Amino acid sequence: MNYRKNFITPSNNLNAWLNSRQSISDKLNKIGNYRVEVINSKQSKLLLSEKIQFSTYQKEELYLREVLIYLNEKPLMYARTLLPKIYLRGFWGNIKKLKEKPLANIVFENKSIKRSKFDFFVPQKRDNLLKIINALNKHNLKVVVTRQSSFEMRKQCVLLTEVFFSNFNDVNY
């Protein structure tokens, strides 16, 4: 695993989820009552990694989709997908059509999409990511670890940031 500093080693169970290169959504859907809640936060700040990934774009030129993922009505994850708006004219426009469905519905269905390696970290107290999570006003959203990866198709890259909450420790892989 590629860990950034300040990383807390997850439990073996959570480690299995973190290292899964397949659809977490599909697996969760088989375990229990799975649902995706779209968050409409127009005020969301970009993360440093997102600024670096899309440094040639202005914030206004980027499209952000944010969701909370639940299993049996417990929030397990916060996920954000970021891409240049110009990509929405092609295949990646399917992201806007997802509504309450997971990103997995489009990225794992198309074999030409390649996923990058994972980057793991724990956000620090002053990080924008924790500010975003705290602004959700949800109870018991203790962040355990964050995982980032990108999906690429035809040289168009989409960045996915997944924040795993402590509730995920109770979900067997």
Side-chain angles (χ1 to χ4, degrees):
M1 286 183 141
N2 180 17
Y3 297 114
R4 290 192 199 170
K5 64 181 183 175
N6 303 316
F7 186 79
I8 300 167
T9 304
S11 66
N12 286 337
N13 181 57
L14 184 55
N15 216 2
W17 286 104
L18 290 171
N19 284 303
S20 176
R21 295 196 56 82
Q22 287 139 9
S23 171
I24 289 177
S25 296
D26 285 348
K27 189 153 177 74
L28 289 174
N29 201 25
K30 293 173 185 169
I31 293 173
N33 181 19
Y34 169 83
R35 80 177 170 93
V36 174
E37 175 187 329
V38 177
I39 301 166
N40 294 318
S41 71
K42 304 291 182 198
Q43 304 297 327
S44 211
K45 296 181 179 182
L46 294 180
L47 309 177
L48 179 59
S49 56
E50 293 169 339
K51 289 177 185 176
I52 292 169
Q53 176 82 26
F54 297 111
S55 62
T56 59
Y57 294 90
Q58 298 295 316
K59 183 179 177 185
E60 302 78 35
E61 297 175 300
L62 298 171
Y63 177 80
L64 175 65
R65 178 178 187 253
E66 297 174 284
V67 300
L68 277 172
I69 296 172
Y70 293 83
L71 184 66
N72 301 327
E73 293 309 311
K74 285 186 178 180
L76 294 184
M77 295 173 70
Y78 161 82
R80 55 192 283 136
T81 307
L82 187 70
L83 64 151
K85 286 179 182 176
I86 195 166
Y87 294 178
L88 296 172
R89 294 180 187 158
F91 171 81
W92 293 114
N94 291 318
I95 289 175
K96 288 184 82 171
K97 299 173 188 173
L98 285 172
K99 297 185 180 159
E100 305 293 327
K101 294 178 184 156
L103 180 66
N105 282 19
I106 60 171
V107 296
F108 292 107
E109 305 271 324
N110 191 321
K111 300 296 180 202
S112 65
I113 296 175
K114 303 295 180 219
R115 189 174 200 171
S116 70
K117 64 179 180 143
F118 296 128
D119 190 14
F120 299 92
F121 62 97
V122 175
Q124 299 302 298
K125 288 183 181 179
R126 288 183 239 136
D127 286 351
N128 282 339
L129 188 54
L130 280 185
K131 291 175 185 173
I132 293 164
I133 300 294
N134 291 334
L136 296 174
N137 294 324
K138 302 285 180 176
H139 300 286
N140 302 322
L141 292 182
K142 183 180 177 202
V143 173
V144 177
V145 65
T146 300
R147 172 174 95 165
Q148 247 183 1
S149 62
S150 59
F151 294 94
E152 186 177 332
M153 183 174 145
R154 296 186 196 121
K155 298 187 180 183
Q156 293 181 337
C157 191
V158 172
L159 186 62
L160 174 65
T161 304
E162 301 163 296
V163 179
F164 291 75
F165 302 135
S166 59
N167 290 337
F168 223 118
N169 286 317
D170 301 329
V171 182
N172 290 326
Y173 186 75

